mmCIF file with all atom_site columns, all heavy atoms in Angstrom:
data_model
loop_
_atom_site.group_PDB
_atom_site.id
_atom_site.type_symbol
_atom_site.label_atom_id
_atom_site.label_alt_id
_atom_site.label_comp_id
_atom_site.label_asym_id
_atom_site.label_entity_id
_atom_site.label_seq_id
_atom_site.pdbx_PDB_ins_code
_atom_site.Cartn_x
_atom_site.Cartn_y
_atom_site.Cartn_z
_atom_site.occupancy
_atom_site.B_iso_or_equiv
_atom_site.pdbx_formal_charge
_atom_site.auth_seq_id
_atom_site.auth_comp_id
_atom_site.auth_asym_id
_atom_site.auth_atom_id
_atom_site.pdbx_PDB_model_num
ATOM 1  N N   . TYR A 1 5  ? -18.481 4.421  6.492  1.00 97.00 ? 5  TYR A N   1
ATOM 2  C CA  . TYR A 1 5  ? -17.693 4.767  7.664  1.00 97.00 ? 5  TYR A CA  1
ATOM 3  C C   . TYR A 1 5  ? -17.111 6.168  7.537  1.00 97.00 ? 5  TYR A C   1
ATOM 4  O O   . TYR A 1 5  ? -16.554 6.518  6.506  1.00 97.00 ? 5  TYR A O   1
ATOM 5  C CB  . TYR A 1 5  ? -16.528 3.784  7.838  1.00 97.00 ? 5  TYR A CB  1
ATOM 6  C CG  . TYR A 1 5  ? -16.984 2.353  7.956  1.00 97.00 ? 5  TYR A CG  1
ATOM 7  C CD1 . TYR A 1 5  ? -17.179 1.566  6.825  1.00 97.00 ? 5  TYR A CD1 1
ATOM 8  C CD2 . TYR A 1 5  ? -17.232 1.791  9.203  1.00 97.00 ? 5  TYR A CD2 1
ATOM 9  C CE1 . TYR A 1 5  ? -17.610 0.261  6.925  1.00 97.00 ? 5  TYR A CE1 1
ATOM 10 C CE2 . TYR A 1 5  ? -17.654 0.476  9.312  1.00 97.00 ? 5  TYR A CE2 1
ATOM 11 C CZ  . TYR A 1 5  ? -17.849 -0.284 8.173  1.00 97.00 ? 5  TYR A CZ  1
ATOM 12 O OH  . TYR A 1 5  ? -18.280 -1.576 8.283  1.00 97.00 ? 5  TYR A OH  1
ATOM 13 N N   . LEU A 1 17 ? -4.310  15.155 12.198 1.00 98.00 ? 17 LEU A N   1
ATOM 14 C CA  . LEU A 1 17 ? -5.531  14.363 12.039 1.00 98.00 ? 17 LEU A CA  1
ATOM 15 C C   . LEU A 1 17 ? -5.991  14.408 10.588 1.00 98.00 ? 17 LEU A C   1
ATOM 16 O O   . LEU A 1 17 ? -5.830  15.421 9.903  1.00 98.00 ? 17 LEU A O   1
ATOM 17 C CB  . LEU A 1 17 ? -6.658  14.908 12.919 1.00 98.00 ? 17 LEU A CB  1
ATOM 18 C CG  . LEU A 1 17 ? -6.470  14.828 14.426 1.00 98.00 ? 17 LEU A CG  1
ATOM 19 C CD1 . LEU A 1 17 ? -7.691  15.405 15.132 1.00 98.00 ? 17 LEU A CD1 1
ATOM 20 C CD2 . LEU A 1 17 ? -6.224  13.394 14.875 1.00 98.00 ? 17 LEU A CD2 1
ATOM 21 N N   . ARG A 1 28 ? -9.609  0.534  2.996  1.00 95.00 ? 28 ARG A N   1
ATOM 22 C CA  . ARG A 1 28 ? -9.110  1.920  3.027  1.00 95.00 ? 28 ARG A CA  1
ATOM 23 C C   . ARG A 1 28 ? -7.958  2.064  4.018  1.00 95.00 ? 28 ARG A C   1
ATOM 24 O O   . ARG A 1 28 ? -6.991  2.776  3.746  1.00 95.00 ? 28 ARG A O   1
ATOM 25 C CB  . ARG A 1 28 ? -10.257 2.877  3.377  1.00 95.00 ? 28 ARG A CB  1
ATOM 26 C CG  . ARG A 1 28 ? -9.912  4.314  3.120  1.00 95.00 ? 28 ARG A CG  1
ATOM 27 C CD  . ARG A 1 28 ? -9.730  4.556  1.619  1.00 95.00 ? 28 ARG A CD  1
ATOM 28 N NE  . ARG A 1 28 ? -9.346  5.929  1.395  1.00 95.00 ? 28 ARG A NE  1
ATOM 29 C CZ  . ARG A 1 28 ? -8.166  6.307  0.894  1.00 95.00 ? 28 ARG A CZ  1
ATOM 30 N NH1 . ARG A 1 28 ? -7.270  5.413  0.532  1.00 95.00 ? 28 ARG A NH1 1
ATOM 31 N NH2 . ARG A 1 28 ? -7.891  7.572  0.729  1.00 95.00 ? 28 ARG A NH2 1
ATOM 32 N N   . THR A 1 43 ? 0.055   12.058 -1.346 1.00 92.00 ? 43 THR A N   1
ATOM 33 C CA  . THR A 1 43 ? -1.221  12.218 -0.661 1.00 92.00 ? 43 THR A CA  1
ATOM 34 C C   . THR A 1 43 ? -0.991  12.828 0.724  1.00 92.00 ? 43 THR A C   1
ATOM 35 O O   . THR A 1 43 ? 0.103   12.740 1.280  1.00 92.00 ? 43 THR A O   1
ATOM 36 C CB  . THR A 1 43 ? -1.930  10.865 -0.486 1.00 92.00 ? 43 THR A CB  1
ATOM 37 O OG1 . THR A 1 43 ? -1.158  10.040 0.391  1.00 92.00 ? 43 THR A OG1 1
ATOM 38 C CG2 . THR A 1 43 ? -2.124  10.163 -1.828 1.00 92.00 ? 43 THR A CG2 1
ATOM 39 N N   . THR A 1 45 ? -2.214  11.806 3.599  1.00 93.00 ? 45 THR A N   1
ATOM 40 C CA  . THR A 1 45 ? -1.910  10.768 4.584  1.00 93.00 ? 45 THR A CA  1
ATOM 41 C C   . THR A 1 45 ? -0.525  10.181 4.372  1.00 93.00 ? 45 THR A C   1
ATOM 42 O O   . THR A 1 45 ? 0.134   9.794  5.337  1.00 93.00 ? 45 THR A O   1
ATOM 43 C CB  . THR A 1 45 ? -2.971  9.650  4.563  1.00 93.00 ? 45 THR A CB  1
ATOM 44 O OG1 . THR A 1 45 ? -3.063  9.098  3.254  1.00 93.00 ? 45 THR A OG1 1
ATOM 45 C CG2 . THR A 1 45 ? -4.315  10.174 5.009  1.00 93.00 ? 45 THR A CG2 1
ATOM 46 N N   . LYS A 1 49 ? 2.190   10.724 7.159  1.00 95.00 ? 49 LYS A N   1
ATOM 47 C CA  . LYS A 1 49 ? 2.205   9.383  7.776  1.00 95.00 ? 49 LYS A CA  1
ATOM 48 C C   . LYS A 1 49 ? 0.982   9.145  8.654  1.00 95.00 ? 49 LYS A C   1
ATOM 49 O O   . LYS A 1 49 ? 1.065   8.541  9.729  1.00 95.00 ? 49 LYS A O   1
ATOM 50 C CB  . LYS A 1 49 ? 3.485   9.167  8.592  1.00 95.00 ? 49 LYS A CB  1
ATOM 51 C CG  . LYS A 1 49 ? 4.766   9.475  7.846  1.00 95.00 ? 49 LYS A CG  1
ATOM 52 C CD  . LYS A 1 49 ? 4.969   8.569  6.663  1.00 95.00 ? 49 LYS A CD  1
ATOM 53 C CE  . LYS A 1 49 ? 6.307   8.822  6.001  1.00 95.00 ? 49 LYS A CE  1
ATOM 54 N NZ  . LYS A 1 49 ? 6.261   8.696  4.571  1.00 95.00 ? 49 LYS A NZ  1
ATOM 55 N N   . LEU A 1 53 ? -5.665  4.494  12.837 1.00 97.00 ? 53 LEU A N   1
ATOM 56 C CA  . LEU A 1 53 ? -7.081  4.730  13.099 1.00 97.00 ? 53 LEU A CA  1
ATOM 57 C C   . LEU A 1 53 ? -7.311  4.964  14.588 1.00 97.00 ? 53 LEU A C   1
ATOM 58 O O   . LEU A 1 53 ? -6.916  4.145  15.423 1.00 97.00 ? 53 LEU A O   1
ATOM 59 C CB  . LEU A 1 53 ? -7.894  3.519  12.644 1.00 97.00 ? 53 LEU A CB  1
ATOM 60 C CG  . LEU A 1 53 ? -9.399  3.601  12.832 1.00 97.00 ? 53 LEU A CG  1
ATOM 61 C CD1 . LEU A 1 53 ? -9.990  4.631  11.870 1.00 97.00 ? 53 LEU A CD1 1
ATOM 62 C CD2 . LEU A 1 53 ? -10.032 2.238  12.610 1.00 97.00 ? 53 LEU A CD2 1
ATOM 63 N N   . GLY A 1 63 ? -25.168 9.659  1.666  1.00 96.00 ? 63 GLY A N   1
ATOM 64 C CA  . GLY A 1 63 ? -25.338 11.110 1.696  1.00 96.00 ? 63 GLY A CA  1
ATOM 65 C C   . GLY A 1 63 ? -25.139 11.675 3.091  1.00 96.00 ? 63 GLY A C   1
ATOM 66 O O   . GLY A 1 63 ? -24.465 12.692 3.282  1.00 96.00 ? 63 GLY A O   1
ATOM 67 N N   . ILE A 1 72 ? -17.405 17.166 10.377 1.00 98.00 ? 72 ILE A N   1
ATOM 68 C CA  . ILE A 1 72 ? -16.255 16.937 11.256 1.00 98.00 ? 72 ILE A CA  1
ATOM 69 C C   . ILE A 1 72 ? -15.019 17.659 10.716 1.00 98.00 ? 72 ILE A C   1
ATOM 70 O O   . ILE A 1 72 ? -14.255 18.254 11.480 1.00 98.00 ? 72 ILE A O   1
ATOM 71 C CB  . ILE A 1 72 ? -15.999 15.428 11.441 1.00 98.00 ? 72 ILE A CB  1
ATOM 72 C CG1 . ILE A 1 72 ? -17.170 14.784 12.198 1.00 98.00 ? 72 ILE A CG1 1
ATOM 73 C CG2 . ILE A 1 72 ? -14.688 15.183 12.183 1.00 98.00 ? 72 ILE A CG2 1
ATOM 74 C CD1 . ILE A 1 72 ? -17.139 13.271 12.234 1.00 98.00 ? 72 ILE A CD1 1
ATOM 75 N N   . ASP A 1 81 ? -10.556 16.439 18.727 1.00 98.00 ? 81 ASP A N   1
ATOM 76 C CA  . ASP A 1 81 ? -9.890  15.736 19.831 1.00 98.00 ? 81 ASP A CA  1
ATOM 77 C C   . ASP A 1 81 ? -10.915 15.210 20.830 1.00 98.00 ? 81 ASP A C   1
ATOM 78 O O   . ASP A 1 81 ? -10.797 14.084 21.320 1.00 98.00 ? 81 ASP A O   1
ATOM 79 C CB  . ASP A 1 81 ? -8.903  16.658 20.549 1.00 98.00 ? 81 ASP A CB  1
ATOM 80 C CG  . ASP A 1 81 ? -7.629  16.909 19.767 1.00 98.00 ? 81 ASP A CG  1
ATOM 81 O OD1 . ASP A 1 81 ? -7.380  16.240 18.745 1.00 98.00 ? 81 ASP A OD1 1
ATOM 82 O OD2 . ASP A 1 81 ? -6.855  17.799 20.190 1.00 98.00 ? 81 ASP A OD2 1
ATOM 83 N N   . ASN A 1 88 ? -12.452 6.845  22.181 1.00 96.00 ? 88 ASN A N   1
ATOM 84 C CA  . ASN A 1 88 ? -11.214 6.081  22.374 1.00 96.00 ? 88 ASN A CA  1
ATOM 85 C C   . ASN A 1 88 ? -10.330 6.854  23.357 1.00 96.00 ? 88 ASN A C   1
ATOM 86 O O   . ASN A 1 88 ? -9.378  7.514  22.948 1.00 96.00 ? 88 ASN A O   1
ATOM 87 C CB  . ASN A 1 88 ? -10.548 5.912  20.995 1.00 96.00 ? 88 ASN A CB  1
ATOM 88 C CG  . ASN A 1 88 ? -9.257  5.160  21.008 1.00 96.00 ? 88 ASN A CG  1
ATOM 89 O OD1 . ASN A 1 88 ? -8.793  4.667  22.029 1.00 96.00 ? 88 ASN A OD1 1
ATOM 90 N ND2 . ASN A 1 88 ? -8.628  5.084  19.838 1.00 96.00 ? 88 ASN A ND2 1
#
Side-chain angles (χ1 to χ4, degrees):
Y5 302 87
L17 295 180
R28 193 66 182 115
T43 65
T45 57
K49 309 297 185 216
L53 181 70
I72 294 170
D81 285 350
N88 179 3

